[in-house]
Amino acid sequence: MRTLIANGLIVTADGSYPGDVLVDGEVIVQIGVDLAAAGVTADETIDATGKYVIPGGIDAHTHMELPFGGTFAKDTFETGTRAAAFGGTTSIVDFAVQSKGQPLHEGLDVWHKKAEGNAVVDYGFHMIMSDVTDATLAEMDQLVAEGVPDFKLFTAYPGVFFSPDDHIFRAMRQTKHNGGLILMHAENGPVIDILAAGQVAAGVTDPIGHGLARDSRLEGEATSRVIRLAEVAGVPVYFVHMSAKEALDALMAARNRGVMAWAETCPQYLYLSLDDLGDGFNGAKFVCSPPLRTKDHAVELWNALKRDDLQVVGTDHCPFDFHGQKELGRGDFRKIPNGLPGVEERVDLIHQAVVDGRLTKERWVQVVSTGPAKIFGMYPRKGVIAVGADADIVVYDPNRSHVLSASTHHMDVDYSCYEGMAVQGGSDVVLSRGMVVVKDGEFTGRKGHGMFVKRGLADYARLG
Ligand code: URP
Ligand code: ZN
Ligand code: ZN
């Protein structure tokens, strides 16, 4: 099957130019001007006049079916990746979970089973490490070889995912030998627990207590502590879901010292704020960790994204219905499952920043696709429009407006964090390894088309 995408503006992280893209089977085989006139034939031609042709989005932070707070994130690999495709995302990297006392592989196998035969677009895995022992340290090397080269550890969630400093340090040292990357959830969990108990004791049981207890300085403190651990271990480090300017300050200072420290932020920290948490129990829709911050933090995050002090926008997609799931925390915000939906909205929300003049369209492609592809060992197979790359392609209409709403989205969750927000731009045609999976608002893909992506090491390791 040969597909010709003609007359579009090819937008890459490095620059934009008019051209045609020829897909044969699963890969891009030719790029040029007016390929049809040059005699190139195809089974199907997609007219991209007036549209952008971009590499499919890569969401490097999702949690399909994550067990949390006595329930499970609602999207499965089928519903979540289908929603991702509608939103122009053609690869996700989800977090497999090791429960305490379990080998890493046991957790990873569970995630393979959840995804295989169900995902609609391609997927990879990061490994959440809840236990750092001699055995799990040795297993890390094996996982790197199997294409799961990064490991998330937490200074948050005591009793669940929390790791003390010595465990984090040992895991970091292991990546010095195996080339893997440590991903950190940096908040001071034990101190937050004290503050959260204090809020409840003072009668603050609504979701706003979640935001008040999780002080932004405790994200800054944990971030700078973890950076120092990485410096001593002599390894790079990546921070997931960065939300606070204090954390950003620590990150920028480290980068100025020459430390290989990278971070992602998420649309919720750019567009939403503590005010959303303050709307009585309705604020439960916005309970995630780190929490939504006051608006001054978002100003700093936008600037950092523009300057490349932040490298990636992921979603931390972790959807729980408001009715029946978020409601588990009525009367005690500590029992509200943490997480928000967003996998479908990310590409459009960050394109809105292009419309608003905050980012260039090339930077948009960088932070939603090329950047994560490079950091997470998928480049140049993914994250780029280039001959030989997987034909994960979005024909994106930069002028089509639509309104974000739970009544029209495809995520399996009963609310949208952005209900009623109008955005300019939308994915018209989405190809996943050459297959048209979404066209003009219709799903044309197939459950099980998505394949496991065996990832390599981050770009820095290949260079070094
Ligand atoms: O609130 C969040 N972020 N839930 C998902 C788990 C995590 O920490 O990423
Ligand atoms: Zn986290
Ligand atoms: Zn997460």
Side-chain angles (χ1 to χ4, degrees), residues 125-160:
F125 297 123
H126 311 289
M127 189 78 225
I128 286 180
M129 277 182 89
S130 307
D131 247 355
V132 176
T133 63
D134 289 344
T136 58
L137 286 168
E139 266 195 288
M140 285 172 82
D141 302 0
Q142 239 178 300
L143 261 63
V144 171
E146 288 174 22
V148 180
D150 9 77
F151 306 88
K152 182 179 178 189
L153 286 97
F154 298 72
T155 58
Y157 307 135
V160 189

Side-chain angles (χ1 to χ4, degrees), residues 58-64 66 89 91-95 124-126 128 152 154 157 183-186 238-242 263-269 289-290 312-319 338-343 346 368 372 376 378:
I58 297 174
D59 189 346
H61 192 151
T62 67
H63 299 282
M64 305 305 171
L66 176 78
T89 287
S91 302
I92 62 164
V93 190
D94 203 83
F95 285 83
F125 297 123
H126 311 289
I128 286 180
K152 182 179 178 189
F154 298 72
Y157 307 135
L183 278 42
M184 287 301 310
H185 178 139
Y238 177 95
F239 292 91
V240 294
H241 49 44
M242 189 169 277
E264 81 188 6
T265 191
C266 311
Q268 55 269 31
Y269 302 119
S289 294
V312 172
V313 177
T315 58
D316 198 4
H317 176 77
C318 189
N338 285 203
L340 313 180
V343 74
R346 179 189 67 126
V368 303
F376 294 113
M378 303 164 98

